[in-house]
Amino acid sequence: MCGIIGYVGGRRDAGFLVIEGLKNLEYRGYDSWGVAWKEGRKIAVCKETGKIGCVDAAKIAKEGNLAIAHTRWATHGGVTTENAHPHLSCNGSIAVVHNGIVENYEEIRRDLIAKGHRFLSETDTEVIPHLIEEEMKTTGDFAAAVRRACLKFEGRFAVLAMHAESGTLVAARTGSPLIVGVGDHEGYFIASDIPAFREHTSTVQYLDDGEMVVTDGRSILFSDLKTGAEREKREIEITWETAQVQKGKYAHFMLKEIMEQKDSIARAVNQDEGEIQTLAEAIRAAQGTFLSGCGTAAKACMAAEYFFSVIAGQHVNFAPASEFKLFHRFLKPQSLLIVVSQSGETADVLEAMKVAKSKGAKVLAIVNTEGSTIAREADYTLHINAGPERAVASTKALTGQMAVLMLIAYAMIGKLPKGRTRLLETAAAINDMLNPRYTSFIESLAEKIKDDKDLYIIGKSWNYPMALESAIKIQEVSYVHAEGFAGGELKHGPIALIEEGTPCIALVGNDEVRTDIINNAIELKARGGFIIGVAPERHAVFDEWIKVPDTDTAQAIVNIIPIQVLAYFLAVKRGKDPDMPRNLAKSVTVK
Ligand code: F6R
């Protein structure tokens, strides 16, 4: 969703700093961008629709020690320059960028118009600088005015406001993330995401929900948004390096992250044994264990339903986070909700946690992003340690999430070492598999099917959620119409879609359901389907065979990887940018 960065401090090139920082947030997905910087006692603004990539930041914002910038992912109002942030107050001395939604903005806007305020955009955001301006008439103090304004807004949001006259930067959050970067040189950054300022500092301070922060670049003050009471904040050192958020030798982050999986799976498996065992026991003791997440993370949850069933004989219930609240009747104080999220900021997941907590249930979070809201709000947290995931399409986070969930399933039957060994062997097998000959074979397959308009993927058992995941991956980066099915469901409808030459991918393992899924592939072939088998062993039904190592219970982790590679090459061959798919955002912080 929207990316936010602000800076105030000793450097005179604040505009340049925030535009360069914004470029590091491009991966979040956006359709327009803008920057505001202090020029003398005034605020200068530059806004554009489209991409920021080739903008020469030094030419836009030349001087000033205070600036804010924003990448917008349109919610309220179309993709236009007027709707892009920052938005200004009538007197031009307050600029605001914002992430989230001000739910009661229509009412506030009507009120402000009646008081003489002039609006230039269709956004909910524009009420913020105007209401701050209005509140300043009462308090005379910028920070107090921001506080008073924010308390009138409904919804989950993060606001970053700058004031030219006082030279201050104020941020407030009631949901969407905000992190302070303590500058190595004098000054402070405030951003929605660490990569925005990572090259300038590794020391951060997290804002919690319902907090506000005020800085003039020399000192910083955290407080409770409602009461104004001062809050102590710990400084935290982040461990990952700037190089981890760069593409290196790869053309795209997506390919880099796919290739990293041999290492990231091994890192995910490297968990504290005692902690995993405690959580396994908590699942055994729980009266109802639920799994929830969104999109790709939800597919990890679905795969885990099979891990828990087949490996541990344990019943767990999955629901997508956006549907979870409808099952609140089944939650008790003894229930456990396991949420899975790469970003740790997904609004629907936070909402599911809120529902579970309101019933007294405990929450275990499996996340990638350290310090994220989900990680901090859960009762127990496990990190998958995949390192920053920049491509919008999630790849290495998925396999890390599945690895951790599988490890817990093994721990539940007292076989944690066996689970660990299986997963480490899987990581090693992936290392062998992802060689240049293998990827160029998949590239040639992408060339063959790149102009087909439909693509179907089937799987059974844990390969069923992987069929759904394959479809997401292909849809989001290549825009080819792809759909995943449980193989057995084909003859209940979807098989009507198969025509002569329709590409169909079958995800196969050497397991108890192998014969079933092969039979489903045969049914597809009989209707003209062009069958691509992803399997440890060749079968006569396959027109093309993508060989994968036999990894037993970890087959789902291995089978999805060639499809990630295929999705990547389909995107590239169709002239799409796999790192920045249209209409999508990396971290979905609105419901
Ligand atoms: C697809 C994708 C999304 C995310 C979903 C949840 O490739 O990345 O479907 O998986 O938005 O995001 P997180 O895991 O950050 O909660």
Side-chain angles (χ1 to χ4, degrees), residues 294-297 340-346 349 374 389 392-394 401 469 472-473 476 585-588:
C294 296
T296 292
V340 179
S341 173
Q342 187 288 128
S343 62
E345 301 295 348
T346 303
V349 177
I374 292 173
E389 192 179 66
V392 167
S394 189
Q401 290 157 354
E469 169 59 13
I472 298 188
K473 223 61 330 152
E476 68 181 328
K586 180 67 183 158
S587 122
V588 184

Side-chain angles (χ1 to χ4, degrees), residues 347-400:
D348 284 326
V349 177
L350 283 161
E351 189 68 17
M353 290 170 71
K354 208 159 131 193
V355 171
K357 287 186 160 200
S358 72
K359 294 287 184 135
K362 291 271 185 282
V363 178
L364 158 64
I366 298 177
V367 294
N368 189 33
T369 311
E370 283 174 44
S372 57
T373 312
I374 292 173
R376 286 178 299 133
E377 290 191 358
D379 298 289
Y380 321 97
T381 301
L382 290 176
H383 287 99
I384 62 165
N385 304 318
E389 192 179 66
R390 294 287 299 267
V392 167
S394 189
T395 54
K396 62 176 178 171
L398 169 77
T399 48

